[in-house]
Amino acid sequence: GLKAVEFCGKSKARALVLVKEAIIVAGRSLGMSNAALSGALGVHTSAVSRRFDSGKNRMRVSSETSSLVEKILALTSSRTEIS
């Protein structure tokens, strides 16, 4: 598993960057603010803006990113239905 400190750190590992971008794109599509995402992910708000732009661009060319965003959105909708 991945520890929160590893995820919220400044790692540039491709897999972590991809996941962070997908979470940010999904969060923004759900109406979350940069500040809320920044706090949840432990990154600066400017990093959220950059990762959002990068994630949106990556979705255009990468089915992997699009699929990950869709999975995150599906998880959030299923959790909302349960509550």
Side-chain angles (χ1 to χ4, degrees), residues 22-32 37 52 56 69 73 76:
I23 290 170
I24 290 167
V25 170
R28 290 278 302 270
S29 74
L30 293 169
M32 292 181 73
L37 288 163
F52 176 74
K56 290 296 278 189
V69 170
L73 291 172
T76 58

Side-chain angles (χ1 to χ4, degrees), residues 20-74:
K20 285 180 185 181
E21 286 178 358
I23 290 170
I24 290 167
V25 170
R28 290 278 302 270
S29 74
L30 293 169
M32 292 181 73
S33 68
N34 282 358
L37 288 163
S38 170
L41 296 174
V43 297
H44 195 273
T45 54
S46 65
V48 172
S49 293
R50 283 192 309 275
R51 293 294 102 213
F52 176 74
D53 292 340
S54 178
K56 290 296 278 189
N57 289 332
R58 194 183 307 263
M59 283 180 66
R60 291 187 192 107
V61 296
S62 168
S63 60
E64 179 183 25
T65 303
S66 298
S67 175
L68 190 53
V69 170
E70 288 172 14
K71 287 177 185 177
I72 293 167
L73 291 172

